């Protein structure tokens, strides 16, 4: 690799995998945890929030702690807090930050999961959570209120925040908006605001919201492709059947990867300067960044070999990624 390409931040460091599909599992149903881990989901979200009735939350916390403790070290060799190599995150309640955070913390404050998904994230709640955890756990903030939307920049500056997700049903209700064809442009503008905030702050691309209509997978694929076009790179699911659709949409094709590698080859041969691709189209820094992001996602999706010349810290990756 030539020095000019190295000066652009390209190295032989492989990308850290970031899941495409994130499957919600009620924390009150521990019998489903291992089953979900065997699904096509690339990450699990054990849910202490909406899916658990209030009277059952205490028992759900205890059962969650017991299961996480038993599985904190992955028998399949994955990182701590993963099962079958799949990262386990826990969604917690904004109203019960202390109690819920305690459920994912073991002896000597050891984390029992990879990170926390904070429902109804707002700046004050993010600060409260960081005070409880000491910032030791990464956080994905779900934007579900006008205050959360308005506080995006402030939350993005918090050291533990990894990225954001959208809880559109709650958010639109708080904004007094009704989902309709006439409002679709406004909803897309809200989605784009989250994408822009993540990109500007150097966070990972945000998680797109799921669909409750888990039977219509054709429609689900169509909306997932739209989210990808808007800048999202992952999506949540409420049913295992949605996960293969998400994985398929967000995984670059073999043709995409080949084209991206050719762009990197041309750029290297031009010592990082402006050059042309195989079709005679211009390759500049922006085109190289796009190729790098394609290769990074290909690596994250596990099946494609050897992505050399990946960025140690690409503009599409978290500012805190190793």
């Amino acid at each position: 690799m030539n020095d000019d390409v190295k000066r652009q931040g390209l190295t032989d460091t492989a990308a850290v995998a970031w899941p495409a599909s994130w499957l919600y599992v009620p924390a009150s149903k521990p019998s489903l945890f291992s089953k979900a881990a065997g699904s096509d989901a690339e990450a699990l979200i054990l849910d202490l929030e909406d899916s658990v009735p209030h009277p059952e939350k205490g028992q759900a916390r205890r059962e969650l702690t017991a299961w996480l403790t038993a599985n904190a070290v992955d028998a399949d060799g994955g990182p701590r807090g993963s099962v079958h190599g799949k990262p386990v995150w826990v969604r917690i309640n904004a109203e019960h930050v202390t109690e819920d955070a305690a459920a994912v913390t073991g002896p000597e404050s050891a984390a029992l999961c990879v990170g926390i998904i904070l429902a109804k994230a707002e700046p004050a709640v993010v600060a409260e959570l960081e005070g409880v955890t000491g910032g030791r756990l990464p956080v994905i903030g779900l934007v579900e209120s006008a205050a959360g939307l308005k506080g995006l920049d402030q939350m993005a500056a918090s050291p533990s925040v990894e990225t954001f997700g959208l809880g559109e049903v709650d958010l639109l209700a708080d904004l007094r908006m009704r989902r309709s064809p006439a409002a679709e442009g406004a909803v897309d503008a809200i989605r784009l605001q989250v994408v822009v905030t993540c990109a500007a702050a150097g966070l990972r691309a945000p998680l797109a919201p799921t669909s409750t209509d888990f039977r219509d997978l054709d429609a689900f694929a169509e909306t997932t492709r739209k989210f990808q076009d808007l800048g999202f790179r992952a999506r949540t699911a409420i049913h295992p059947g949605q996960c293969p659709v998400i994985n398929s949409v967000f995984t670059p094709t073999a043709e995409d990867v080949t084209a991206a590698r050719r762009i990197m080859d041309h750029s290297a041969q031009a010592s990082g300067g402006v050059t042309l691709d195989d079709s005679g189209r211009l390759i500049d820094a922006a085109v190289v960044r796009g190729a790098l992001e394609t290769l990074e996602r290909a690596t994250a999706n596990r099946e494609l070999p050897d992505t050399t010349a990946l960025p140690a810290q690409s503009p599409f990756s978290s500012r805190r990624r190793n």
Side-chain angles (χ1 to χ4, degrees):
M1 187 183 304
N2 64 67
D3 291 338
D4 290 325
V5 173
K6 289 180 180 178
R7 279 195 289 272
Q8 292 184 43
L10 315 183
T11 73
D12 291 328
T13 304
V16 173
W18 185 245
S21 53
W22 300 61
L23 179 62
Y24 280 111
V25 187
S28 57
K29 298 182 178 180
S31 60
L32 297 179
F33 295 173
S34 294
K35 183 178 180 180
S39 72
D40 288 310
E42 294 186 351
L44 303 183
I45 304 173
L46 306 186
D47 186 22
L48 280 170
E49 202 225 4
D50 282 350
S51 64
V52 181
H54 185 75
E56 299 177 18
K57 288 191 186 292
Q59 180 64 22
R61 290 186 191 107
R62 290 188 289 273
E63 292 180 339
L64 176 65
T65 301
W67 190 85
L68 289 173
T69 300
N71 292 278
V73 179
D74 189 358
D76 291 339
R80 183 177 181 84
S82 64
V83 178
H84 301 320
K86 300 177 181 182
V88 176
W89 292 64
V90 176
R91 180 165 74 162
I92 71 170
N93 301 266
E95 301 86 357
H96 306 289
V97 165
T98 300
E99 299 94 324
D100 287 354
V104 300
T105 304
E108 299 181 358
S109 299
L112 299 177
C113 61
V114 169
I116 287 174
I117 297 187
L118 178 60
K120 299 176 177 61
E122 298 177 4
V125 185
V126 170
E128 179 186 0
L129 176 59
E130 288 186 338
V132 171
T133 66
R136 288 184 293 273
L137 279 170
V139 175
I140 297 174
L142 292 184
V143 181
E144 302 183 86
S145 67
L149 190 63
K150 191 174 181 180
L152 272 172
D153 288 340
Q154 185 177 346
M155 291 189 289
S158 299
S160 64
V161 171
E162 188 80 5
T163 190
F164 295 102
L166 272 171
E168 289 188 347
V169 173
D170 290 281
L171 178 57
L172 295 184
D174 200 41
L175 295 174
R176 306 182 187 93
M177 293 176 62
R178 185 168 67 89
R179 196 183 294 275
S180 68
E184 190 63 23
V187 175
D188 282 346
I190 291 170
R191 294 165 175 167
L192 187 58
Q193 184 176 346
V194 178
V195 171
V196 169
T197 298
C198 290
L203 305 181
R204 294 185 184 273
L207 277 62
T210 191
S211 169
T212 55
D213 186 359
F214 57 84
R215 292 183 177 85
D216 190 347
L217 294 180
D218 289 338
F220 189 71
E222 182 179 351
T223 56
T224 304
R225 285 190 289 268
K226 177 178 179 177
F227 279 121
Q228 179 177 235
D229 290 345
L230 287 173
F232 292 83
R233 290 295 182 265
R235 191 173 190 183
T236 55
I238 60 168
H239 189 278
Q242 294 173 316
C243 295
V245 175
I246 297 171
N247 297 338
S248 176
V249 170
F250 287 116
T251 300
T253 65
E255 292 78 11
D256 292 336
V257 172
T258 297
R261 286 177 172 157
R262 288 294 296 151
I263 288 171
M264 296 308 303
D265 289 344
H266 284 299
S267 180
Q269 290 167 11
S271 299
V274 174
T275 186
L276 301 177
D277 68 10
D278 293 329
S279 300
R281 291 171 296 195
L282 187 72
I283 296 176
D284 60 9
V287 174
V288 171
R289 286 198 299 272
L292 285 169
E293 198 249 352
T294 296
L295 293 175
E296 182 177 272
R297 287 193 289 122
T299 301
N301 282 284
R302 281 156 287 286
E303 297 300 327
L304 295 158
D306 181 38
T307 53
T308 58
L310 285 176
Q313 183 75 29
S314 92
F316 300 95
S317 308
S318 169
R319 63 192 172 198
R320 285 172 288 278
R321 226 191 60 190
N322 293 325

